[in-house]
Each structure stands twice: as C-alpha cells, then as structure tokens.
Amino acid sequence: MAGSAAPAPGALLCALLWAAAAAGGGPGGSPAPAAFGRVYRGAVNISAERVYAFAYRSEPGQVDAVRVYVNSSSENLRYPVLFVVRQQKGVLSWQVPLIFRGLYQRTYNYQEVSRTLCPSEPTPETRPSDQIIFVDVASMAPFNIAYELLVTRLENFQLETNRAFNFTASPSQPQYFLYKFPQDVDSVIINVVSDAAYPCSVVSVQDIVCPVYDLDHNVEFNGVYQSMTKQAAITVQRKDFPGEQFFVVFVIKPEDYACGGSVPSSIHGNANRTWNLQRTKSLQVTIVPSIKKSVYVQAMFFSFLGFLSFYLGSVVVAFVHYIRVQRKASAGRLSPEHGSGIMTSSHPISASTPEGSSYGAIDESSSSGGRQMSSPEHRPPAGSDTDSSVEEESDFDTMPEIESDKNIIRTKVFLYLSDLSRKDRRIVSKKYKIYFWNIITIAVFYALPVIQLVITYQTVVNVTGNQDICYYNFLCAHPLGVLSAFNNILSNVGHMMLGFLFLLIVLRRDILHRRAMEMKDIYTLDYGIPKHFGLFYAMGIALMMEGVLSACYHVCPNYSNFQFDTSFMYMIAGLCMLKLYQTRHPDINASAYSAYASFAVVICLAVLGVVFGKNDMWFWVVFSIIHVLASLALSTQIYYVGRFKMDLGIFRRAVMVLYTDCIQQCSRPMYMDRMVLLIVGNLVNWSFAIFGLVYRPRDFASYILGIFICNLLLYLAFYIIMKLRSSEKLLPIPMFCIVATAVVWAAALYFFFQTLSSWEETPAESREKNRPCILLGFFDDHDVWHFLSAAALFFSFLVLLTLDDDLDTVRRDKIPVF
C-alpha cells in the first residue's frame, strides 16, 4: 500500500535538519531553517556567522533551479561579506561588494549580487526527491556588516522552442536558462535581441556541467560564446551535446570596449578608483529550429544544376555554330578577294588625311610592304606552332633590321592592326602563354598556405568556442562538419565551374584555330584579330582561383585574411584590361613578368592600406602620389604606343613637350581619340585619389578594387564606342553577352552592397548587420552576390572573347587601332 511505504532518505534528512534547527538554530549553531521567497536580514562580523538551510521537493523528471539574491550596504572593500552556497554536488561562493576588473586595471564594485545555482538533475525515480541548500554568510570585519538574503525558485528556467522570453541582467546578476532539444529537432538557432546596444554583453552556450561559468572573468572558459550589442545568434546542433540539452548563459560586461564602446567620460584618467556603475540590460531570447538536412541537399543541387545549365547552353551554341559552318562549307567558301571586300566600309575615323599632317606617315602600300614578312609564303610550315624550348624571341623577331623604323611606323596618325602585328606569331603566342603558366604557379603557391591558415582558424574557433574570431552572418550560417558557414563556401562553386567552362570554350577556339593554321587558311593568316589565347587561359584560371580563395576566406572571414577574397579580383580586372589592349596591340603588350609584378605591388598596397589607412594621413598622401604618377606614366605609354622611354630623362622630355605643344604653340593633339580617353581616365583616377585623401574609406580593399573596375569599364566603353565609330559590327552573340553582363552586374552589385557583416568593426557591431537567409532558406544576400558575380564575370569574359568576331574576314591593314 502507498500509505505504508517507508519514508525516503531525503525526507528523513530533511526532518532531522528541521528538528536540529528547532533545538539550537542560530549564529554559531546548527543551520537556521529558512523559507523560499522570504528576505532575511542580518549582520555578520569576525566572531559571528550565519548558516541558512533551504529544503525543497523536486518532482520526477523536473529540473528545478534556485536563485540566490544578496545585498550589502557596505562598500568597504577590505572587509567584504562572504557568501558560500553548498549543494549536493558543488559549492558556489562570492563576495559582496563583488569586484570586476576592466581595461587598464580599472575596478568596478557591486553591492547587489544575484546568482542562479546549479540546477538539480532530473531523476529517473517516480517519486519526488528532497533537496537541501546551505547558505553560509561570514565576514572577517571587526564590526557588524548588514546584509540581506533572498532565495527563490525559478518558475521559467527552461526555454521553449519558438517562444520569446524576456529578462534583465547586469554584471553582478547574470542569467542562464536550460534548453532541451525536442525529439524532431536536430539543430536550433538561439536568437538574442536587445533594444539598447550598451552595456556590452556575452551570450554563451554551455554543456550541463557544474559549476556554470556565468561571470565576466570566466564565461569564456567553457562552451561557445559571442559578444553582443543589439543582436546575437548561435547555431547549436544536437550532436554536440550528448545529453541533448544545454545552458544559455547571459553575462553583462563591466565595460563596453569589447563591443566597440568607450569608457564613460566620468571615469577617464582614474584607473585606480573603484566605480559602482548601474549597468542593466533588457534581453529577449528566442530559440527556433534550424534547417533540416534535406535543405542542404536542395541547396547543393540548386548550386550545381544552376551552373551546369551554362554548360548546356554552351553546348547548344557550339552545336548551332557547327551546323552553320557545315552549311557554309557545303555551299562553298568565299574567295580571299571576296573576304577582303566584306568590310570595305571599315575606314579610318577621319574621312581624309591632309598631306604632311602626320610625321612619318606611310601609305597603305608601304604598310603592306612592311608586312610581307608575315605573308603565307614567308611563314613557317604548318604544324610548327609549338613551344619549343630552343625558340627564343631573338631567333624569330622579324623586326631587328628595322628597329629604328618602329618610331616611324607606330607614331602614324592612323594606325592599322597590320602595323602592330608584325612580329612572328609563334613568338608572340609564346609570350602570352607565359601569363597562363605563371598564374598557375602563383595560384599553387598562394593557395596552399591560405588553405592551411584557414584550417587553423576554423580549428581554433571549434576548440576555443570563441565565435568572435570569424565575421559570419550568424542569422544565416549553416554548419556542416567542421565548417561553421557551409553556405558561404558552397556559393563560390559558380566561380570554379564557370571558370572551367570558360577554359573549355577557349580551348575549343584554340583547337579550331590550330586546325585552320594547319590547313593554311588565308583567313587565319592575314585576316582578323591575331588569335593569342594565353591571356584567356590566364583569365579562366583567375576566375577559378577567385572561387577557391573566396571560399577559403569565408571559412573564417576576418581582418587578417581579407586579401584572400580580393587578390585574384585585382588580377582578373588587370588581365581583362591587358587583353582588351592586346587585341589591337599584339606586338607591344606588357610582359607577364611585369604584369604580375604590378599586381603584387597592388596587393602589397592593399595590405598596407588596411593596416595603416584608417588613421594615418601619411599613407593616403603617399598612395595618392603613387596613384597619380602611375596614371600619368601609363597614359604616356598608351598615348605614344610604347615608344616613350621611361628613364631619368623623362621629366626633361615631358617639360619640353608641354612647352612646345601647349605653351609655345597650342596645337591639336596628334592622336585625338586616345587623348580623349586618357583625359577622362586621368580625371577618374585623380578623383579617386582626392576622394581617398578627403574621406579615407575604411574598406581600403574595396576602394582599390573600385579603381580597377572603373578603369576597366571606362576602357571597355571606349573600345566599343570606337568600334562602332569605325563602322564595325556587333554580332548577336557578343551583343547578347554585353546585355547579359550589364544586367547581371547590376543585380550582383545590388546584393554586394547589402552589407551583412564587417571586419572593420568589432564582432558585436558586425552582428548588428546580420540578416536571415533569403534564398531557399539557406543562402543569404552575400551568397547571391557570389552566384551573380560568377555569372557576370563569365559573361564579361565572353564579351572579350567574342567582341571582334565580326573582323575574322577583314584584312588587318583595314582594321584601325585605337
């Protein structure tokens, strides 16, 4: 029978405790019986201490938590009141006034302290169990110190899924709560919000272990934690907690410097004084289920299938092109005479050239005579277009005997492609292939230490639990394995897939060109833009590496590895400008070594800009001077088609040119179109330099990338305008690529400027920008930027690849240079 059951051991102990307390409870004796919810007031000194006993009954399967509130009006730091709480499995102690240390050894004391005791674990028993708590109050003071004591049972200790809970906390009154995973939930997101940014707080997720680390000096000892101003979010997975439950701990920091705040003005310059600041913060916590595993699968299918559609589209276009070529072949090819007359309307921009108006100008016949070395009968036999190690430029350079005539040929008022494509095609092609091999070498040596470094970063985050190391969008950071934000890594797959697709497209064109050369096709020898694919291969590799390094950066985005995400963007922009210039200047483009050395200088400046660009005016002055001088030097080289020597006498020659052409006799520029481009380009670059000096933008990496992109867009617009002015055509494929590039870039930039985090600020301030996912419940705005930017770069590359396809049947001495 239930009525005849023996009393539980806990009940007997509780009865004995109450009996002893009734017989002799009080100071220096047995523990005084105490009740929950009642305020006990007393005084202690060196010869008197008090011991209180609290007993309560825990229901089966229930987790009970008890909170102890103490207060002392004394601010005497030499003789604090000591409180020791003894439980069944642990001891918790603190002193009042409770002292916290801040920056530069500043100290803060609090007279009111409230702590939650380690809760009792649920027992498998079917009957209630009795729990006892002893609270010892003591002091070494030779005089009485008054105190207050209040012990209460928490009614809302366990958080519920999808239910917001509001509470307050302070440095001396931290809070923590229990959460248990529901049966059908494997991952949850803890969302914490506050209306006020300060005081700075810390949110921690800890395992069910006692003691709970809930003070400023120990909250980082266990579990996962984030600093917080207005918003924080932590994703927690069931597999990380064998007990399928955890504590959510909230700690208010005594100072705000960890969150980007400043020390209160009233305590500046008083590091040795102890302050009692009232720092209370209202918080709201909501725990919501995270995405399921099926969403991961959907997101991966979406990413790969979306970019595989580009492969399908390329196959369709290639098949249609093959069908059209076969039809033309069956109908019979045009003769060279017909081919040369297809673009008879392609004339210089000026209708007529006054005799004697251009120094050293040669007529078309002399230009053709100068090209006789590159005629079919003087070319090497078919199939000799190989990269033999014994072939040097000196062996094949077709111009050593007329080296002195370069100044005459290249300074004509109207240049044609035949004037700048006089060198042997094999040597020029080999020169551009160095771009491809060099960028592969750079990619390998750059990527390996990057991968090693980000693995180390991710390991540190996982081991220490410090989520302030990496600047994620925590409201949309989906972990997978050891990776904290798998979605940010997966979204970079487009760069790699489309970069590889572009390499395949370039390879197809390269193979078709080689076959035409083997057949001694007249259209591939003296017609159209010279086909050199080395820069295109380098662009494809750069696009793939941008995806790899961007993924590495997003393993743990922070202040120390920002350059991983931008280094190859600089190279892509630079290679595109080089390719655009090389199209009509194949003989005088920059060498791979000088180009990559320039990119290295830019990356060094980007690193220095992030380190010194925030507060050091001297850096901006030096950078602006370098920027302006580099713009002028490059403009001079472009204007004089590489015939202006860059040596110690450059300043004297520049002064002479300015005096003779601008002061002594103000004459019309000889190369008007180039002059217009260079004037606009210099105005744009000088504007960037002035903007940098005045505003000193904090994101220097994006600032310098903006310089590259603006210069590329300016040069591309100039090229297309000049192409249309020269009565050249835009075929349907390049026209489609231009429109697609403009549309996709516009959409991509919209998502790029939706800032979701910023390593320029503190981690807590960065989290204020965090926003939920917007695509499939898996990808955020920055992931969409990754998708769209990959497509935009791919279309941009196709524009450069196909822009001059209309000139394939036009003689090179009919194609103008601009």
Side-chain angles (χ1 to χ4, degrees), residues 480-767:
L480 181 66
V482 298
L483 301 173
S484 300
F486 175 69
N487 54 300
N488 293 151
I489 299 172
L490 177 63
S491 58
N492 285 284
V493 70
H495 295 89
M496 291 176 276
M497 294 184 66
L498 294 185
F500 184 71
L501 175 59
F502 184 73
L503 288 177
L504 294 179
I505 294 173
V506 174
L507 178 62
R508 174 182 175 273
R509 288 209 166 204
D510 194 2
I511 292 174
L512 292 177
H513 178 66
R514 288 174 179 269
R515 289 178 180 174
M517 290 297 300
E518 292 174 359
M519 298 173 60
K520 295 184 178 180
D521 191 336
I522 187 66
Y523 293 106
T524 64
L525 298 178
D526 289 305
Y527 288 74
I529 301 295
K531 302 295 190 295
H532 303 296
F533 297 97
L535 273 169
F536 284 126
Y537 285 122
M539 290 159 57
I541 295 295
L543 181 55
M544 295 181 68
M545 286 307 303
E546 171 59 26
V548 172
L549 293 178
S550 178
C552 290
Y553 166 74
H554 284 91
V555 169
C556 182
N558 58 51
Y559 172 85
S560 302
N561 58 12
F562 69 94
Q563 69 271 20
F564 301 162
D565 195 29
T566 55
S567 296
F568 273 81
M569 285 299 294
Y570 303 145
M571 290 194 181
I572 288 174
L575 289 173
C576 287
M577 284 188 282
L578 287 172
K579 182 59 195 177
L580 201 56
Y581 187 77
Q582 177 247 319
T583 302
R584 308 214 180 200
H585 308 78
D587 286 353
I588 59 173
N589 209 359
S591 67
Y593 307 110
S594 59
Y596 289 128
S598 302
F599 298 152
V601 171
V602 170
I603 294 173
C604 290
L605 288 174
V607 174
L608 294 175
V610 172
V611 175
F612 300 107
K614 293 182 179 179
N615 303 312
D616 297 317
M617 186 65 183
W618 66 265
F619 171 81
W620 284 100
V621 172
V622 173
F623 174 77
S624 299
I625 292 173
I626 294 174
H627 185 189
V628 171
L629 292 179
S631 300
L632 292 174
L634 186 61
S635 300
T636 303
Q637 288 294 95
I638 293 175
Y639 186 75
Y640 290 105
V641 200
R643 304 315 301 164
F644 197 90
K645 293 184 179 181
M646 307 295 289
D647 53 22
L648 295 178
I650 183 174
F651 299 103
R652 180 177 56 83
R653 294 195 301 273
V655 170
M656 290 180 62
V657 170
L658 290 174
Y659 176 75
T660 56
D661 292 354
C662 300
I663 299 177
Q664 187 180 37
Q665 175 183 334
C666 187
S667 58
R668 182 178 182 271
M670 184 176 295
Y671 314 110
M672 179 57 71
D673 298 306
R674 269 180 272 170
M675 179 59 72
V676 172
L677 168 67
L678 296 176
I679 289 176
V680 175
N682 277 276
L683 289 177
V684 169
N685 283 278
W686 295 353
S687 300
F688 269 104
I690 295 173
F691 175 82
L693 280 173
V694 175
Y695 293 99
R696 285 178 285 176
R698 299 181 66 183
D699 190 355
F700 185 80
S702 298
Y703 166 77
I704 198 170
L705 183 60
I707 295 175
F708 270 85
I709 293 177
C710 284
N711 281 275
L712 173 59
L713 293 178
L714 176 63
Y715 189 29
L716 179 60
F718 169 80
Y719 189 94
I720 294 176
I721 292 173
M722 294 299 298
K723 181 178 178 67
L724 296 177
R725 285 189 61 194
S726 302
S727 300
E728 298 177 9
K729 296 185 298 183
L730 289 176
L731 298 180
I733 290 181
M735 179 63 74
F736 168 79
C737 292
I738 291 173
V739 174
T741 299
V743 172
V744 178
W745 267 125
L749 290 175
Y750 169 79
F751 289 99
F752 174 76
F753 289 111
Q754 305 299 312
T755 306
L756 305 179
S757 62
S758 175
W759 48 260
E760 300 167 355
E761 302 172 340
T762 64
E765 291 172 328
S766 172
R767 272 186 281 274

Side-chain angles (χ1 to χ4, degrees), residues 18 33-40 53-54 151:
W18 284 100
F36 285 97
R38 176 183 171 186
V39 178
Y40 292 91
F54 296 86
V151 180

Side-chain angles (χ1 to χ4, degrees), residues 33 105 112 152 230 242 285 287 328 353 591 630 634 767 814:
Q105 299 302 311
E112 295 182 4
T152 58
K230 289 186 175 181
V285 58
I287 300 182
K328 287 185 178 181
T353 305
S591 67
L634 186 61
R767 272 186 281 274
K814 302 285 186 180

